[in-house]
Structure formats: C-alpha cells, structure tokens
Amino acid sequence: MSEDTARQPYRYVRSALVEPDWRRLPGWRDVTEAQWRDAQWQRAHCVQNARQLRAVVGDLLEERFYRELEADRQQFATMSMLVPPQMLNTMAPGAPGRPAAFTDAFLADPLRRYLLPVRSDREQVWPSHPLAERDSLHEAAMWVVEGLTHRYPTKVLAELVSTCPQYCGHCTRMDLVGNSTPQVTKARLVLRPADRQEQMLDYLKRTPQVRDVVVSGGDLANVPWPRLESFLLRLLELGSVRDIRLATKALVGLPQHWLQADVLAGMARVAAVAARRSVNLAVHTHANHVRSVTPLVAEAARALLDAGVRDVRNQGVLMRGVNATAGDLLDLCFALQGEANILPYYFYLCDMIPNAEHWRVAVHEAQRLQEDIMGYLPGYATPRIVNDVPDLGKRWVHQVVDYDRERGVSYWTKSYRTAPEARTAADPAEAGRRYPCYDPIPTLPESGRRWWADRYGRKA
C-alpha cells in the first residue's frame, strides 16, 4: 500500500460477497440448499413472533433480548414483525456460539436494528419528534384515486398492495403497510385490487402529462405475478408513459422470489414490450447495509438484467446505528455496484414517523456524509442523499434554502405544485412558500433541546 493510499480517509478493498451459512443456527441445521433457494420455503419460514425466533436460534439468544423485544412491541413498535430467513441469516453471521456473546453481537447488529428493534434502541426522552406523523409525507392526501399518489407534475406512485415480504421498523408507509401493532391501528386499502388498478389506469389515460410511474406497495413481490404482469402490460399500452420503475425490497430480502422461473419469464415478456415501445423499465430495491448484499442478491439482480430490465437501482435509508458513516455507505455502494450489478441511487433521510428519532440524522450530518463519499465511486454510481420533505418531495440535502441549526429547522422550496394544490385556486404566496423539516431533537445543542422541551413540556 502506498503512503498516499494509507492517508486516505477510506481505503477501498474489493471483497467477495458472502452468503452466511444458515446451518449455524440450530433451527436450520437440516435445511438443504434447495430449500433455501425456494421462495415458498422462505415465505413459509418467516419469523413473525418471538416463539418462531426461538425456534430458529435455540438457546443462542438470552432472555434479556426477548424481554427488550416484547417491551418494544408493547411500547414503541409501529411495524409488526416479519423477517424472511434470507434477512435473519445476515444478522450476526460471525457471532460466537456462546449465548452471552451471541446476544451481544445480535443486539449490536445493524440489520437487526431496523428489522427486529428492541426497547433499548429507542431514544428514551424523545422517542418521537413532537411533530412526527403516521403518514409523514402526506401521500394519502395526494391520492387521486385510492393508492395513486400524484405529487410531482410528471410522476405518480402506484401502491398496488399494502403488504411486504419483510417489515422494516423505519417504513415510510407505516400508516398503511402491514398488520396493526399495540401503538398503530393501520389504515386499509378498501377497493378490490382489480378495481383499484382499473381506477389507476383510467386516471393515467386521462392525465397524459404523467410520464413516469413508480409501481410499489407494500412490495410488488406480494402481488401475484399474473395480476402484476397484466397491470404492467396495460400500463405499457399508454403512449404517455415513458418510465416504469418497479419497487421491491424483496430483491434483497427475498431474492428467491425474483429467481423463480415463471417470474423471470413474465419479466422477460414485460421487458420485451417495454423495449419495443422505448419505455425505460427499471427495478428499484432497498439495501441498507453491506451484509445484506449476498451472492443470491447478485444472482437475482443479474437475472433481472438478463431478462431485459434496463437498470437495477438501490434506494436505501440513512439510519444512525445502521449505515450513517462514510465507511458504511461506501462499503455498501461498492458491494452493490462492483459485485451485484445494482446501481447506488438514493439514500433518504429517515422520515419523521413516530418512534424513529434514534434512527434519524440531522440535515447537516447528511450533508457531511454526502461530501465524505464523493470521489470514490464513479460519478454515475455515487448516490445522492436526499430529504423527502413533507408536502414537497425529494430534495438533495444541499438544496436547503435556510437552516436554523440551533432548533433543527430546515426550510425547502419547490418550483411546481402538487395535484391537490393544482386543484385549488392559485395562491400568489404559493410560489414563495417555504416547507419546514425538523432535525432529530437529540442531535441539537442544549439550547435547542431546551427550546423544544419548554414548548412541549418535556425535560431537555
């Protein structure tokens, strides 16, 4: 290693992807490779409660973990538990087999922190920002039909389903996605899936200025393939649609789904139609830590590209304790870009949902991280760190127009109107409106914490 390389803040070393040996866990000692690669086996053996977790890990986890897990479920959890074997297997892969050491490693694991949160993870004084909201981005207020959010002038988000193959604690759609918890009674989609899709397609036919459709949920992997393929082919019949992005965290959490022969054959049919009509068809996935990028994930991404998908891209979430350092982000991005054919695209600031203050980072911290990761990756593969501002939309973190660092209030502007705004009478003040966003209170200086404490009757 040269002296110049030794002085660099980050040193790139190419590392091979690793699929941890699931047989190290007592409950999976007899699981064959064929079973592990089977999507239905993975779905059938998801961990949905403490009893099922015990069945997998045996005596490796001490009771102190389960006490904290149950306390979190009763006091803080906004998402129900659902962890596919693929993701559970990436947690604490090198931990010693002694219960105390294994429990310590499991508690410290970055993937565990957002898939199996425990009470001790949470901020104890400010678990939620006082202005946190269940639908923090106000997506439902922008529905033009059920599940179809029209926020940007030329883009829409189509939520086809309200379930996922895995539930992440930081879910931006925690108001709608998954089962209810003691803290959150979930909203529900009312229309039958066929009726909802029909209304979405009808709106898009009547709104030709929309050229970009993000098809999401929940997760597309939970939509039966024939229904999803039918919707995509009908979407491709609309000449106004030029970009289709398929959002699925299952590419990382359940790659076995995307390796099924019938799914890949269907994707090839859709991709062929998209290519003939010069429509850009991409898959967007969700990886937050380098250990979740395994050989199976790379195989699934390659299979989608071979089927004709133009790009596979990653949209992660920036979370304290998971990936909020330059080294963590660069390790993840090099694994995605260099080993798995997945383009690093966005890292979002964690949304201001209830009980998420321990994950969130301040705007100035995100700005520093964006600066720290520049210069290592190719420009086209250097992810942008963005803030999804309520009522506004995505903004690069350096686009803040004003910033009160003491109280943690940032202000953002836009040059367009959302669909709800466009339906109202023009407001002369609208063009100059500033949209506020709020840093996590624990990151503020003492004077800022005291201001919020005085305002909301809490101790600083």
Side-chain angles (χ1 to χ4, degrees):
M1 179 174 64
S2 70
E3 183 179 352
D4 180 66
T5 302
R7 288 198 296 263
Q8 298 297 338
Y10 173 85
R11 183 186 175 210
Y12 166 70
V13 177
R14 184 177 181 184
S15 300
L17 303 183
V18 175
E19 203 81 51
D21 185 0
W22 57 87
R23 289 171 289 243
R24 76 189 188 282
L25 299 174
W28 292 339
R29 280 184 181 142
D30 298 324
V31 175
T32 66
E33 183 174 358
Q35 287 175 306
W36 190 260
R37 291 180 65 92
D38 183 79
Q40 297 314 309
W41 186 93
Q42 288 278 328
R43 289 183 185 274
H45 292 83
C46 285
V47 168
Q48 302 180 64
N49 52 52
R51 176 183 59 81
Q52 292 174 344
L53 181 59
R54 289 177 190 271
V56 174
V57 300
D59 296 330
L60 288 173
L61 279 177
E62 296 181 321
E63 284 303 313
R64 58 189 167 108
F65 175 82
Y66 293 105
R67 287 194 297 269
E68 285 294 291
L69 184 68
E70 177 60 18
D72 191 78
R73 191 186 77 84
Q74 293 296 332
Q75 298 174 31
F76 298 113
T78 59
M79 298 297 293
S80 52
M81 188 189 305
L82 184 64
V83 185
Q86 176 74 22
M87 290 301 287
L88 184 59
N89 189 44
T90 63
M91 298 179 195
R98 303 182 306 278
F102 185 92
T103 302
D104 288 342
F106 201 72
L107 283 167
D109 188 86
L111 292 151
R112 193 280 311 162
R113 288 181 185 273
Y114 70 89
L115 286 167
L116 290 169
V118 298
R119 175 175 57 183
S120 57
D121 294 332
R122 311 279 180 174
E123 282 290 342
Q124 300 305 304
V125 177
W126 295 99
S128 297
H129 195 283
L131 298 178
E133 297 181 69
R134 288 170 46 148
D135 181 6
S136 62
L137 302 180
H138 309 149
E139 287 181 337
M142 299 181 192
W143 282 358
V144 287
V145 301
E146 183 182 79
L148 188 67
T149 299
H150 190 174
R151 174 192 289 180
Y152 304 100
T154 61
K155 300 185 284 186
V156 296
L157 165 72
E159 298 169 69
L160 298 190
V161 67
S162 61
T163 61
C164 287
Q166 72 181 48
Y167 292 141
C168 306
H170 61 277
C171 181
T172 187
R173 299 193 183 105
M174 51 77 56
D175 186 51
L176 177 69
V177 170
N179 301 317
S180 296
T181 72
Q183 285 66 245
V184 180
T185 300
K186 303 286 180 159
R188 286 288 176 252
L189 296 171
V190 175
L191 295 174
R192 294 189 311 119
D195 294 338
R196 185 164 53 254
Q197 292 180 19
E198 201 65 44
Q199 290 191 13
M200 291 176 177
L201 291 165
D202 179 67
Y203 178 82
L204 293 172
K205 289 175 187 175
R206 294 182 287 105
T207 318
Q209 66 266 30
V210 173
R211 63 170 308 283
D212 182 356
V213 181
V214 178
V215 187
S216 182
D219 196 296
L220 293 189
N222 279 17
V223 180
W225 180 262
R227 185 193 306 161
L228 178 58
E229 183 173 349
S230 173
F231 178 77
L232 295 176
L233 291 174
R234 293 184 65 191
L235 197 58
L236 284 164
E237 292 173 0
L238 304 178
S240 53
V241 173
R242 311 312 304 150
D243 279 275
I244 297 176
R245 293 180 274 169
L246 309 179
T248 173
K249 68 180 67 173
L251 181 60
V252 172
L254 191 68
Q256 295 85 350
H257 171 82
W258 294 104
L259 285 167
Q260 295 176 104
D262 60 333
V263 172
L264 287 173
M267 185 64 83
R269 290 190 293 269
V270 172
V273 175
R276 284 199 302 270
R277 300 183 178 177
S278 299
V279 174
N280 299 308
L281 179 69
V283 169
H284 283 197
T285 193
H286 182 89
N288 291 319
H289 193 270
V290 63
R291 280 213 303 269
S292 66
V293 186
T294 73
L296 270 172
V297 173
E299 185 181 343
R302 182 71 264 166
L304 287 170
L305 292 167
D306 289 345
V309 170
R310 174 172 173 170
D311 288 300
V312 180
R313 308 180 187 120
N314 184 65
Q315 296 186 144
V317 174
L318 194 62
M319 288 182 283
R320 194 179 307 278
V322 177
N323 56 18
T325 70
D328 286 333
L329 289 182
L330 288 169
D331 285 348
L332 171 56
C333 290
F334 278 119
L336 291 166
Q337 167 69 8
E339 311 302 327
N341 292 294
I342 299 173
L343 184 72
Y345 179 43
Y346 277 159
F347 282 98
Y348 291 87
L349 271 64
C350 182
D351 292 317
M352 206 167 69
I353 55 172
N355 299 331
E357 288 298 88
H358 66 295
W359 284 310
R360 297 203 306 125
V361 301
V363 167
H364 67 87
E365 294 175 308
Q367 290 174 332
R368 177 61 185 271
L369 279 170
Q370 181 74 83
E371 293 159 8
D372 286 348
I373 65 173
M374 300 300 289
Y376 290 96
L377 293 149
Y380 68 90
T382 301
R384 294 171 176 167
I385 300 179
V386 295
N387 188 14
D388 214 342
V389 181
D391 292 315
L392 190 158
K394 290 180 281 293
R395 285 293 179 272
W396 306 341
V397 289
H398 284 82
Q399 287 184 287
V400 61
V401 296
D402 198 6
Y403 191 9
D404 180 347
R405 284 278 297 272
E406 181 183 19
R407 297 178 181 176
V409 186
S410 53
Y411 296 93
W412 312 75
T413 60
K414 65 181 181 181
S415 59
Y416 55 85
R417 308 183 79 195
T418 62
E421 291 166 344
R423 290 194 294 266
T424 64
D427 180 357
E430 182 64 39
R433 180 180 173 186
R434 302 196 312 170
Y435 296 79
C437 206
Y438 304 92
D439 286 346
I441 291 173
T443 67
L444 303 181
E446 182 183 355
S447 57
R449 296 196 304 272
R450 189 166 56 247
W451 184 87
W452 284 100
D454 291 344
R455 190 178 182 93
Y456 287 94
R458 309 247 192 110
K459 60 182 181 179

